[in-house]
Amino acid sequence: MAFESLTERLSGVFKKLRGKGRLSEADIKAAMREVRMALLEADVNYKVAKDFCNQVSERAMGQEVMESLTPAQQVVKIVNEELTRLMGGDEPTQLHIKNKGQTVLMMCGLQGNGKTTHAAKLGKYYRKLGRRPLLVACDIYRPAAIDQLRIVGEQAEVPVFEMGTERPELIAQKAMAYAKDHGNDIVIIDTAGRLQIDEALMDELVRIKQTVEVDDTLLVVDAMAGQEAVNVAKTFNEKIGIDGVILTKTDGDTRGGAALSVLAVTGKPIYFQGIGEKLDDLEPFYPSRMAGRILG
Ligand code: GDP
């Protein structure tokens, strides 16, 4: 199951604390060293793990915990709260979907991370909420990409706007006019991916953003890539500016490092998570639930 190793490691640390009754500062320090190791093994960013443990230690060494009759339980509670905070707080962060007029979402990310699938998942998600989304095919380099969007669009029962291999920014612009004429209130732009970050790709994304007013630039990253996913998010944010992340393939992620590090490293929240290959396998990202899963 998910996070098996991290969950197991943490529960081992807490078990040791529980066996102690009252806790000394040395006990907490030792426990936090182990928590830090467990986080690093889960592929959490080094600085994030360090800051996290410092924060937990500081709170755990406070009077309430030290004088409590159940100090170990208090430490678990603090870890839970801090994990939740690390990932964005109790509630999922919402996309900037407008109630009136058109909202434009631009999907970007590296090839194979789940961009096209998640464009369609989002389309279906909003269609089910009574909105009228439109998918836009701006990945013009691989003919298969347009076909793929058409297929998932059909499955999601969301229309797809395409203009073959026209310039992406022109396609985006025409799609806006089309959406206006056809009453589509959420325009979801699928853009090209590459195997690696390159300048041409970044320039293209910037040009789209200069041509249409994008409300949310969503970076689609594969949770299984761990810290590498977080580095990609950092670079995309620096180059084109992102509003948040869609973390995909969390169903296959056994470590949790990306989920834990994205916000702290990039300053950008995770909006949604992909939990499977099917178009319904999309969930708003609840930091508190994720913390709960990690703590087992
Ligand atoms: P793109 O190149 O970024 O557009 O990636 P695709 O949307 O084509 O997805 C690449 C592969 O990942 C496909 O086989 C998808 O079915 C799969 N995939 C996408 N999202 C998820 C997810 O949340 N969980 C799992 N298990 N597979 C996913």
Side-chain angles (χ1 to χ4, degrees), residues 32 36 38 41 60 72 77 79 116 148 156 182 184 201 205 217:
M32 285 309 126
R36 191 161 106 185
E41 272 174 37
K77 186 165 165 276
V79 170
T116 303
Q148 190 195 346
H182 293 79
N184 299 113
L201 171 65
L205 297 173
T217 302

Side-chain angles (χ1 to χ4, degrees), residues 108-119 121 139 142 145 148 152 190-194 220 222 224 247-252 273-278 281-282:
C108 56
L110 297 182
Q111 201 168 301
N113 279 219
K115 187 163 26 63
T116 303
T117 312
H118 281 76
K121 284 185 185 180
D139 181 355
R142 294 179 307 132
Q148 190 195 346
V152 286
D190 186 28
T191 64
R194 300 270 203 284
V220 177
D222 179 344
M224 292 196 285
L247 192 65
T248 67
K249 311 189 194 185
T250 58
D251 50 310
Q273 60 174 338
I275 54 167
E277 290 191 77
K278 291 204 267 326
D281 294 336
L282 179 76

Side-chain angles (χ1 to χ4, degrees), residues 108 110 196-199 201-202 205-206 219 221 227-242 245 262 265-266 268:
C108 56
L110 297 182
Q196 279 172 334
I197 292 170
D198 70 46
E199 290 303 321
L201 171 65
M202 293 299 170
L205 297 173
V206 168
L219 181 73
V221 286
Q227 276 200 65
E228 189 43 38
V230 179
N231 293 337
V232 167
K234 192 162 178 274
T235 308
F236 266 79
N237 189 40
E238 284 160 6
K239 302 260 181 193
I240 65 161
I242 62 170
V245 166
V262 164
V265 173
T266 66
K268 302 297 171 180

